[in-house]
């Protein structure tokens, strides 16, 4: 009978193992597919449709059914052989149970495969990574202002969310480093082997922190939290400055596209005039070919301007945090009133209002608080223990009191004090470095601003009016046959160059003004600085002696 039971157990394992392994392999393969990067999932799952899913489910069900049928056949053979040797009613019942279990496993696995395939199909259709839709999508012909773009950036730029998370993280550390240690309660028994002389004591133990370490811990983290709040403001200014700079770049690209389109109209009209003059025997085929060449070059400039505008728009939307935002027409702001700048007054204003400088000063206060904290680390904590119990030998109660403290003989925390002082010196020198860096950045931006200002003034007041008038007069003279075709080509080229250089000068002026308004802070997609402290000061408070 024992031999029969062992054979029955082996038979059950033989039936269950193939189906279970097959199901496990399918499940692991499914998990592996879900853990692939999004681009690989799309490449592998994109061809799946409803018919494919149904056929795949039918195939998997058939394979599972075949495995289960083979296992059931093996089971029936084994049962028949055992029945021939020792026909017992229990073995017949067991074979029937095995067949029922095989059928249940087949149905269950088939349903699991179909359900898994259905879930994969739903995941493909609902995967947001395969679509590029946002709640801020704009339609064709929509217009957007700088203020709208700034608001979208403040809501969606990921670096601002990172900076906010760092503030919450620092606040959590602030709460943790000031927490006291949990008390200890326990039991102590002695002389338990000696009947009638055993002693039993319940005790309560707690460590008392001296030197105000917990409060000093929170002083350090309070300055760290304040620094992170200024870091958030710094990142906000970086994002706004970059949005304005990219916005003016996109505006310039949009204006260049418009100027190129207008110039294409001029060159197309020039081709028509050249052909008419050739038919009137006033121009040659060479003039017509030169006119066609200039027209093709103008169309090439138009295509490049279109590509530049699309690239500027993509860069702007990526900075905002909505890379799939639909293209819209940008409304240009009012003309910037350009005036000479006073470098000294600007520098003082930058130092007073820069959140970057405020962050650095908070880091100095944080380092000074950490130095004060390390100076009291050597003050020993006191551990007190009070216990109450019963002594069976004397048939009387007991009350114990124990006080202990480490002696600061070998470890006086001098190494940490020295390191904290070095960190304080580094933080103070960082303030000086930022002052010098602001001065250097201000010099570069002022140079860009002044150069763009005089360029805009010259083009607006002299060059552009002259080129517009020259183009108008040259067209009239060419129509009347008073001007050669080579001269008209040179004038047209000068007109387009002047338009593009004027647009570039306006862009540089607007971008320089945006940097000054943003306190010279750029880097809207650079990762903001995270909190540099954690709850290690609390661990040092209790275990650093």
């Amino acid at each position: 009978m024992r031999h029969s039971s062992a054979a029955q157990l082996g038979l059950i394992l033989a039936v269950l193992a193939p189906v279970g392994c097959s199901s496990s392999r399918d499940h692991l393969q499914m998990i592996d597919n879900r853990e692939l990067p999004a681009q690989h999932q799309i490449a592998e799952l994109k061809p799946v449709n409803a018919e494919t899913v149904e056929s795949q489910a039918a195939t998997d069900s058939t394979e599972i059914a075949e495995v289960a049928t083979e296992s059931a056949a093996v089971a029936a053979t084994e049962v028949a052989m055992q029945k021939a040797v020792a026909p017992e009613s229990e073995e017949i019942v067991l074979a029937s149970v095995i067949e029922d279990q095989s059928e249940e496993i087949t149905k269950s696995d088939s349903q699991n495969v179909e359900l898994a395939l259905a879930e994969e199909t739903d995941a493909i259709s609902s995967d947001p990574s395969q679509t590029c839709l946002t709640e801020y999508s704009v339609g064709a012909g929509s217009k957007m202002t700088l203020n709208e773009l700034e608001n979208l950036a403040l809501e969606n730029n990921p670096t601002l969310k990172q900076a906010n998370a760092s503030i919450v993280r620092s606040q959590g550390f602030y709460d943790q480093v000031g927490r006291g240690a949990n008390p200890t309660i326990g039991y102590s028994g002695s002389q338990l082997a000696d009947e009638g002389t055993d002693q039993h004591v319940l005790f309560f133990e707690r460590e008392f922190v001296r030197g105000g370490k917990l409060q000093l811990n929170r002083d350090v983290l309070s300055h760290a939290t304040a620094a992170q709040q200024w870091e958030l403001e710094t990142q906000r200014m970086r994002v706004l400055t970059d949005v304005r700079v990219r916005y003016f770049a996109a505006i310039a690209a949009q204006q260049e596209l418009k100027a190129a389109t207008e110039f294409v109209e001029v060159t197309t009209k020039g081709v028509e005039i050249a052909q008419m003059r050739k038919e009137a025997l006033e121009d040659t085929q060479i003039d017509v070919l030169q006119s066609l060449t200039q027209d093709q070059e103008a169309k090439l400039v138009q295509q490049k301007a279109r590509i530049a505008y699309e690239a500027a728009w993509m860069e702007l939307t990526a900075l905002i945090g909505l890379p799939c935002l639909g293209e819209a027409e940008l409304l240009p702001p009012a003309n910037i009133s350009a005036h000479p700048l006073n470098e000294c007054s600007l520098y003082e204003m930058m130092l007073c209002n820069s959140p970057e400088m405020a962050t650095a000063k908070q880091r100095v206060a944080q380092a000074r608080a950490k130095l004060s904290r390390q100076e009291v680390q050597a003050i020993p904590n006191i551990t007190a223990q009070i216990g109450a119990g019963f002594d069976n030998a004397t048939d009387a109660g007991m009350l114990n009191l124990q006080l202990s403290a480490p002696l600061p003989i070998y470890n006086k925390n001098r190494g940490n004090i020295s390191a904290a002082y070095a960190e304080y010196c580094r933080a103070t020198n960082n303030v000086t470095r930022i002052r010098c860096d602001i001065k250097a950045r201000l010099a570069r931006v002022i140079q860009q601003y002044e150069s763009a200002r005089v360029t805009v003034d010259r083009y607006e007041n002299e060059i552009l009016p002259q080129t517009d008038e020259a183009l108008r007069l040259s067209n009239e003279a060419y129509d009347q046959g008073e001007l050669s075709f080579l001269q008209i080509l040179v004038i047209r080229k000068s007109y387009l160059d002047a338009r593009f250089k004027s647009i570039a000068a306006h862009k540089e002026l607007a971008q320089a003004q945006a940097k000054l308004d943003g306190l010279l802070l750029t880097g809207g997609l650079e990762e903001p600085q995270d909190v540099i402290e954690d709850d290690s000061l609390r661990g040092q408070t209790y275990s650093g002696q």
Side-chain angles (χ1 to χ4, degrees), residues 158-203:
T159 63
L160 297 179
K161 299 177 182 179
Q162 286 181 304
N164 270 312
S166 295
I167 293 176
V168 176
R169 185 167 178 256
S170 181
Q171 290 172 343
F173 289 144
Y174 171 83
D175 178 72
Q176 183 65 24
V177 296
R179 296 284 180 178
N182 293 325
T184 301
I185 185 172
Y187 161 80
S188 175
S190 59
Q191 299 181 2
L192 299 180
D194 297 335
E195 184 178 357
T197 63
D198 50 325
Q199 298 175 350
H200 305 273
V201 178
L202 291 177
F203 65 88

Short mmCIF file of all heavy atoms in Angstrom, two decimals, residues 158-203:
data_model
loop_
_atom_site.label_atom_id
_atom_site.label_comp_id
_atom_site.label_asym_id
_atom_site.label_seq_id
_atom_site.Cartn_x
_atom_site.Cartn_y
_atom_site.Cartn_z
N PRO A 158 9.03 69.83 -15.55
CA PRO A 158 9.33 68.80 -14.55
C PRO A 158 10.34 69.24 -13.50
O PRO A 158 10.33 68.72 -12.38
CB PRO A 158 9.88 67.64 -15.39
CG PRO A 158 10.37 68.28 -16.65
CD PRO A 158 9.49 69.44 -16.90
N THR A 159 11.22 70.18 -13.82
CA THR A 159 12.22 70.59 -12.82
C THR A 159 11.58 71.31 -11.65
O THR A 159 12.08 71.23 -10.52
CB THR A 159 13.27 71.49 -13.47
OG1 THR A 159 12.65 72.69 -13.95
CG2 THR A 159 13.94 70.79 -14.64
N LEU A 160 10.48 72.01 -11.88
CA LEU A 160 9.78 72.68 -10.78
C LEU A 160 9.15 71.65 -9.84
O LEU A 160 9.13 71.84 -8.61
CB LEU A 160 8.72 73.62 -11.32
CG LEU A 160 9.24 74.79 -12.18
CD1 LEU A 160 8.09 75.64 -12.69
CD2 LEU A 160 10.23 75.63 -11.39
N LYS A 161 8.67 70.57 -10.40
CA LYS A 161 8.12 69.50 -9.56
C LYS A 161 9.23 68.81 -8.78
O LYS A 161 9.03 68.41 -7.63
CB LYS A 161 7.37 68.49 -10.44
CG LYS A 161 6.19 69.11 -11.19
CD LYS A 161 5.51 68.11 -12.11
CE LYS A 161 4.37 68.78 -12.88
NZ LYS A 161 3.71 67.82 -13.80
N GLN A 162 10.41 68.69 -9.39
CA GLN A 162 11.54 68.13 -8.66
C GLN A 162 11.93 69.03 -7.49
O GLN A 162 12.21 68.54 -6.39
CB GLN A 162 12.74 67.97 -9.61
CG GLN A 162 12.63 66.82 -10.59
CD GLN A 162 13.85 66.72 -11.47
OE1 GLN A 162 14.24 67.66 -12.16
NE2 GLN A 162 14.49 65.57 -11.47
N ALA A 163 11.96 70.33 -7.73
CA ALA A 163 12.33 71.26 -6.66
C ALA A 163 11.30 71.22 -5.53
O ALA A 163 11.65 71.29 -4.35
CB ALA A 163 12.46 72.67 -7.23
N ASN A 164 10.02 71.11 -5.88
CA ASN A 164 8.98 70.98 -4.85
C ASN A 164 9.16 69.70 -4.05
O ASN A 164 8.99 69.69 -2.82
CB ASN A 164 7.60 71.01 -5.51
CG ASN A 164 7.04 72.41 -5.63
OD1 ASN A 164 7.04 73.18 -4.68
ND2 ASN A 164 6.58 72.76 -6.82
N ALA A 165 9.50 68.62 -4.72
CA ALA A 165 9.72 67.35 -4.02
C ALA A 165 10.91 67.45 -3.07
O ALA A 165 10.89 66.86 -1.97
CB ALA A 165 9.93 66.22 -5.03
N SER A 166 11.93 68.19 -3.46
CA SER A 166 13.09 68.36 -2.58
C SER A 166 12.71 69.12 -1.32
O SER A 166 13.23 68.84 -0.23
CB SER A 166 14.21 69.09 -3.33
OG SER A 166 14.70 68.32 -4.40
N ILE A 167 11.80 70.08 -1.44
CA ILE A 167 11.35 70.82 -0.26
C ILE A 167 10.61 69.89 0.69
O ILE A 167 10.84 69.89 1.91
CB ILE A 167 10.45 72.00 -0.68
CG1 ILE A 167 11.27 73.04 -1.45
CG2 ILE A 167 9.78 72.65 0.53
CD1 ILE A 167 10.46 74.19 -1.99
N VAL A 168 9.72 69.07 0.16
CA VAL A 168 8.98 68.12 1.00
C VAL A 168 9.96 67.13 1.65
O VAL A 168 9.81 66.78 2.84
CB VAL A 168 7.94 67.37 0.16
CG1 VAL A 168 7.23 66.31 0.98
CG2 VAL A 168 6.91 68.35 -0.41
N ARG A 169 10.95 66.71 0.92
CA ARG A 169 11.95 65.79 1.46
C ARG A 169 12.72 66.44 2.61
O ARG A 169 12.94 65.82 3.65
CB ARG A 169 12.90 65.39 0.33
CG ARG A 169 13.93 64.34 0.70
CD ARG A 169 14.58 63.79 -0.55
NE ARG A 169 15.62 62.81 -0.25
CZ ARG A 169 16.92 63.06 -0.31
NH1 ARG A 169 17.34 64.26 -0.67
NH2 ARG A 169 17.79 62.12 -0.02
N SER A 170 13.10 67.69 2.42
CA SER A 170 13.83 68.39 3.47
C SER A 170 12.96 68.60 4.71
O SER A 170 13.44 68.48 5.85
CB SER A 170 14.32 69.74 2.94
OG SER A 170 15.04 70.44 3.92
N GLN A 171 11.69 68.88 4.51
CA GLN A 171 10.77 69.04 5.64
C GLN A 171 10.61 67.72 6.41
O GLN A 171 10.49 67.73 7.64
CB GLN A 171 9.42 69.55 5.15
CG GLN A 171 9.45 70.98 4.66
CD GLN A 171 8.16 71.41 3.99
OE1 GLN A 171 7.33 70.56 3.61
NE2 GLN A 171 7.96 72.71 3.83
N GLY A 172 10.61 66.61 5.69
CA GLY A 172 10.55 65.32 6.36
C GLY A 172 11.78 65.06 7.22
O GLY A 172 11.69 64.58 8.36
N PHE A 173 12.96 65.39 6.69
CA PHE A 173 14.19 65.25 7.48
C PHE A 173 14.16 66.17 8.70
O PHE A 173 14.65 65.80 9.77
CB PHE A 173 15.41 65.55 6.62
CG PHE A 173 15.69 64.50 5.57
CD1 PHE A 173 16.19 64.84 4.32
CD2 PHE A 173 15.47 63.16 5.83
CE1 PHE A 173 16.45 63.88 3.37
CE2 PHE A 173 15.73 62.19 4.89
CZ PHE A 173 16.23 62.55 3.65
N TYR A 174 13.63 67.39 8.52
CA TYR A 174 13.55 68.33 9.64
C TYR A 174 12.73 67.74 10.79
O TYR A 174 13.10 67.85 11.96
CB TYR A 174 12.92 69.64 9.15
CG TYR A 174 12.59 70.61 10.27
CD1 TYR A 174 13.55 71.45 10.81
CD2 TYR A 174 11.29 70.67 10.78
CE1 TYR A 174 13.24 72.33 11.83
CE2 TYR A 174 10.97 71.54 11.81
CZ TYR A 174 11.96 72.37 12.33
OH TYR A 174 11.64 73.24 13.35
N ASP A 175 11.63 67.10 10.44
CA ASP A 175 10.80 66.49 11.48
C ASP A 175 11.51 65.31 12.13
O ASP A 175 11.42 65.11 13.35
CB ASP A 175 9.46 66.05 10.87
CG ASP A 175 8.58 65.35 11.89
OD1 ASP A 175 8.04 66.02 12.78
OD2 ASP A 175 8.45 64.11 11.79
N GLN A 176 12.25 64.55 11.33
CA GLN A 176 12.85 63.31 11.85
C GLN A 176 14.03 63.59 12.77
O GLN A 176 14.19 62.91 13.80
CB GLN A 176 13.28 62.43 10.68
CG GLN A 176 13.87 61.09 11.08
CD GLN A 176 12.84 60.19 11.76
OE1 GLN A 176 11.65 60.34 11.56
NE2 GLN A 176 13.33 59.28 12.58
N VAL A 177 14.89 64.56 12.43
CA VAL A 177 16.13 64.74 13.19
C VAL A 177 15.89 65.27 14.59
O VAL A 177 16.78 65.20 15.44
CB VAL A 177 17.10 65.68 12.44
CG1 VAL A 177 17.53 65.08 11.12
CG2 VAL A 177 16.48 67.06 12.24
N GLY A 178 14.69 65.81 14.86
CA GLY A 178 14.42 66.33 16.19
C GLY A 178 13.67 65.35 17.08
O GLY A 178 13.31 65.70 18.21
N ARG A 179 13.42 64.16 16.58
CA ARG A 179 12.67 63.17 17.36
C ARG A 179 13.56 62.50 18.40
O ARG A 179 14.72 62.17 18.12
CB ARG A 179 12.10 62.09 16.43
CG ARG A 179 11.07 62.61 15.44
CD ARG A 179 9.76 62.86 16.11
NE ARG A 179 8.74 63.35 15.17
CZ ARG A 179 7.49 63.62 15.50
NH1 ARG A 179 7.10 63.42 16.75
NH2 ARG A 179 6.65 64.07 14.62
N GLY A 180 13.02 62.30 19.61
CA GLY A 180 13.74 61.60 20.65
C GLY A 180 13.76 60.10 20.41
O GLY A 180 13.01 59.57 19.57
N ALA A 181 14.61 59.41 21.19
CA ALA A 181 14.71 57.96 21.04
C ALA A 181 13.55 57.27 21.74
O ALA A 181 13.02 57.76 22.75
CB ALA A 181 16.03 57.47 21.63
N ASN A 182 13.13 56.14 21.21
CA ASN A 182 12.08 55.36 21.85
C ASN A 182 12.59 54.75 23.15
O ASN A 182 13.73 54.27 23.21
CB ASN A 182 11.60 54.24 20.92
CG ASN A 182 10.89 54.78 19.70
OD1 ASN A 182 10.20 55.79 19.78
ND2 ASN A 182 11.07 54.12 18.56
N PRO A 183 11.78 54.75 24.20
CA PRO A 183 12.21 54.11 25.44
C PRO A 183 12.23 52.59 25.28
O PRO A 183 11.60 52.03 24.37
CB PRO A 183 11.16 54.56 26.45
CG PRO A 183 9.95 54.83 25.64
CD PRO A 183 10.44 55.36 24.32
N THR A 184 12.93 51.95 26.20
CA THR A 184 13.07 50.48 26.19
C THR A 184 12.42 49.91 27.44
O THR A 184 12.66 50.41 28.55
CB THR A 184 14.54 50.07 26.13
OG1 THR A 184 15.13 50.63 24.96
CG2 THR A 184 14.69 48.56 26.09
N ILE A 185 11.62 48.89 27.28
CA ILE A 185 11.03 48.18 28.40
C ILE A 185 11.41 46.71 28.28
O ILE A 185 11.46 46.16 27.18
CB ILE A 185 9.49 48.36 28.44
CG1 ILE A 185 8.92 47.72 29.71
CG2 ILE A 185 8.84 47.80 27.19
CD1 ILE A 185 7.45 48.02 29.92
N GLY A 186 11.74 46.09 29.41
CA GLY A 186 12.20 44.71 29.32
C GLY A 186 12.05 43.97 30.64
O GLY A 186 11.57 44.51 31.65
N TYR A 187 12.46 42.74 30.60
CA TYR A 187 12.37 41.84 31.75
C TYR A 187 13.74 41.25 31.99
O TYR A 187 14.48 40.92 31.05
CB TYR A 187 11.36 40.73 31.49
CG TYR A 187 11.52 39.52 32.40
CD1 TYR A 187 11.03 39.54 33.71
CD2 TYR A 187 12.18 38.38 31.94
CE1 TYR A 187 11.20 38.44 34.54
CE2 TYR A 187 12.35 37.27 32.77
CZ TYR A 187 11.85 37.31 34.07
OH TYR A 187 12.03 36.22 34.89
N SER A 188 14.10 41.05 33.28
CA SER A 188 15.36 40.45 33.66
C SER A 188 15.10 39.42 34.75
O SER A 188 14.38 39.70 35.72
CB SER A 188 16.34 41.52 34.16
OG SER A 188 17.53 40.92 34.65
N GLY A 189 15.65 38.24 34.60
CA GLY A 189 15.52 37.18 35.60
C GLY A 189 16.90 36.63 35.96
O GLY A 189 17.75 36.48 35.08
N SER A 190 17.13 36.35 37.22
CA SER A 190 18.42 35.83 37.66
C SER A 190 18.20 34.67 38.64
O SER A 190 17.17 34.59 39.32
CB SER A 190 19.26 36.93 38.32
OG SER A 190 18.58 37.47 39.44
N GLN A 191 19.20 33.79 38.72
CA GLN A 191 19.18 32.61 39.59
C GLN A 191 17.92 31.78 39.37
O GLN A 191 17.27 31.30 40.30
CB GLN A 191 19.28 33.04 41.07
CG GLN A 191 20.57 33.76 41.40
CD GLN A 191 20.68 34.17 42.86
OE1 GLN A 191 19.78 33.87 43.66
NE2 GLN A 191 21.79 34.82 43.22
N LEU A 192 17.57 31.64 38.12
CA LEU A 192 16.33 30.92 37.80
C LEU A 192 16.47 29.42 38.07
O LEU A 192 15.47 28.73 38.30
CB LEU A 192 15.97 31.15 36.32
CG LEU A 192 15.70 32.61 35.92
CD1 LEU A 192 15.37 32.68 34.43
CD2 LEU A 192 14.58 33.21 36.73
N ALA A 193 17.68 28.89 38.09
CA ALA A 193 17.87 27.45 38.34
C ALA A 193 17.78 27.08 39.82
O ALA A 193 17.60 25.92 40.15
CB ALA A 193 19.21 27.01 37.77
N ASP A 194 17.95 28.07 40.69
CA ASP A 194 17.89 27.81 42.13
C ASP A 194 16.48 28.06 42.63
O ASP A 194 15.99 29.20 42.63
CB ASP A 194 18.87 28.71 42.89
CG ASP A 194 20.31 28.44 42.48
OD1 ASP A 194 20.57 27.30 42.04
OD2 ASP A 194 21.14 29.35 42.58
N GLU A 195 15.85 26.98 43.02
CA GLU A 195 14.46 27.11 43.46
C GLU A 195 14.41 27.88 44.78
O GLU A 195 15.15 27.62 45.72
CB GLU A 195 13.86 25.72 43.65
CG GLU A 195 12.38 25.75 44.02
CD GLU A 195 11.79 24.36 44.15
OE1 GLU A 195 12.53 23.38 43.90
OE2 GLU A 195 10.60 24.27 44.49
N GLY A 196 13.56 28.88 44.81
CA GLY A 196 13.36 29.67 46.01
C GLY A 196 14.28 30.86 46.13
O GLY A 196 14.10 31.69 47.03
N THR A 197 15.26 31.00 45.23
CA THR A 197 16.17 32.16 45.30
C THR A 197 16.12 32.99 44.02
O THR A 197 16.94 33.88 43.81
CB THR A 197 17.61 31.69 45.53
OG1 THR A 197 18.03 30.89 44.41
CG2 THR A 197 17.74 30.88 46.82
N ASP A 198 15.22 32.68 43.09
CA ASP A 198 15.16 33.39 41.82
C ASP A 198 14.65 34.81 42.02
O ASP A 198 13.87 35.10 42.93
CB ASP A 198 14.27 32.64 40.83
CG ASP A 198 12.93 32.27 41.44
OD1 ASP A 198 12.90 31.98 42.64
OD2 ASP A 198 11.93 32.33 40.69
N GLN A 199 15.09 35.70 41.12
CA GLN A 199 14.72 37.10 41.15
C GLN A 199 14.15 37.50 39.79
O GLN A 199 14.69 37.10 38.75
CB GLN A 199 15.94 37.97 41.48
CG GLN A 199 16.54 37.70 42.85
CD GLN A 199 17.81 38.49 43.08
OE1 GLN A 199 18.34 39.09 42.15
NE2 GLN A 199 18.30 38.50 44.32
N HIS A 200 13.12 38.31 39.79
CA HIS A 200 12.45 38.74 38.57
C HIS A 200 12.27 40.26 38.61
O HIS A 200 11.77 40.79 39.61
CB HIS A 200 11.09 38.06 38.43
CG HIS A 200 11.17 36.55 38.50
ND1 HIS A 200 11.41 35.78 37.39
CD2 HIS A 200 11.08 35.69 39.56
CE1 HIS A 200 11.44 34.51 37.74
NE2 HIS A 200 11.23 34.42 39.06
N VAL A 201 12.68 40.93 37.52
CA VAL A 201 12.66 42.40 37.48
C VAL A 201 12.09 42.86 36.14
O VAL A 201 12.47 42.35 35.07
CB VAL A 201 14.08 42.99 37.68
CG1 VAL A 201 14.03 44.51 37.60
CG2 VAL A 201 14.66 42.54 39.00
N LEU A 202 11.21 43.82 36.17
CA LEU A 202 10.75 44.57 34.99
C LEU A 202 11.43 45.94 35.03
O LEU A 202 11.40 46.62 36.05
CB LEU A 202 9.24 44.74 34.99
CG LEU A 202 8.41 43.47 34.77
CD1 LEU A 202 6.92 43.79 34.88
CD2 LEU A 202 8.71 42.86 33.41
N PHE A 203 12.04 46.34 33.87
CA PHE A 203 12.77 47.61 33.88
C PHE A 203 12.32 48.48 32.72
O PHE A 203 11.80 48.02 31.69
CB PHE A 203 14.28 47.37 33.82
CG PHE A 203 14.75 46.72 32.54
CD1 PHE A 203 15.08 47.47 31.42
CD2 PHE A 203 14.87 45.33 32.46
CE1 PHE A 203 15.52 46.87 30.26
CE2 PHE A 203 15.31 44.72 31.30
CZ PHE A 203 15.63 45.49 30.19
#
